[in-house]
Amino acid sequence: MNPFLNPRIIIPFIKNYIQDPKRIERLNEKELEKYRDKALRKILSKAFEVPVYKTKFKNSGITKNYR
């Protein structure tokens, strides 16, 4: 069984992840850029699934060709 499915393990893990306000400040410039790129790709991949944005992207010529 996956240990992260156990509430005793996952709840403190999530609590520490969410409540650590300094976690971004500890990243250096390169790590921060990597984090931003990953977050943007994730947002765009979700946006390409929404019909409204899909048509807007198609009309403006934006494609889903990012690595």
Side-chain angles (χ1 to χ4, degrees):
M1 183 169 144
N2 187 347
F4 284 109
L5 296 176
N6 185 344
R8 290 175 144 186
I9 295 173
I10 192 67
I11 290 173
F13 177 79
I14 291 174
K15 180 182 170 215
N16 290 334
Y17 180 78
I18 292 172
Q19 291 183 348
D20 186 10
K22 301 279 185 182
R23 71 180 183 273
I24 297 293
E25 294 175 8
R26 288 192 298 259
L27 298 177
N28 63 26
E29 201 170 313
K30 187 168 180 102
E31 291 171 336
L32 185 59
E33 184 177 339
K34 184 179 175 182
Y35 173 78
R36 282 192 310 234
D37 289 345
K38 185 177 177 183
L40 180 62
R41 284 189 195 103
K42 191 174 184 179
I43 291 168
L44 287 175
S45 68
K46 294 292 181 181
F48 270 102
E49 296 173 9
V50 178
V52 172
Y53 291 119
K54 191 180 244 184
T55 56
K56 287 183 182 241
F57 289 153
K58 186 178 180 181
N59 292 340
S60 63
I62 299 173
T63 60
K64 194 175 178 180
N65 293 333
Y66 51 85
R67 47 179 169 129

